[in-house]
Amino acid sequence: MRKHGLRVVYTVHTDAAAVLAALIAVQHALEHSADVVVIPHVNELEPGTSWWVVTEVADLVTATHEYPLWSGLSAEVRREP
């Protein structure tokens, strides 16, 4: 947090599954007009992981990477119908 000059305004701790936790993060980002969501226990995001949804509403900072707003669009996994 200090490295990026960020100020914590809301903290959520959950034991929820990753999909639910990602949706909770998105909801809080929207409610608090967050510019950045920090998920310190996540490292590099794999394609198709639920955490990409966060980048549709805010930048995402993990323990090892920074993902700017909308960067998830290029990481989407396309499935054949």
Side-chain angles (χ1 to χ4, degrees):
M1 301 292 292
R2 284 185 216 113
K3 174 184 172 188
H4 299 286
L6 302 175
R7 181 174 58 97
V8 176
V9 293
Y10 201 82
T11 302
V12 176
H13 295 276
T14 181
D15 290 331
V19 172
L20 181 57
L23 293 175
I24 291 168
V26 167
Q27 182 64 37
H28 283 288
L30 289 170
E31 287 179 8
H32 299 281
S33 301
D35 294 320
V36 178
V37 172
V38 179
I39 312 291
H41 69 278
V42 173
N43 291 312
E44 185 174 359
L45 298 182
E46 298 292 327
T49 187
S50 57
W51 290 109
W52 283 110
V53 71
V54 173
T55 65
E56 292 185 22
V57 297
D59 292 347
L60 175 63
V61 175
T62 67
T64 59
H65 289 78
E66 299 173 36
Y67 300 94
L69 182 65
W70 298 111
S71 62
L73 292 178
S74 62
E76 286 184 13
V77 176
R78 305 229 186 260
R79 293 187 172 90
E80 296 295 321

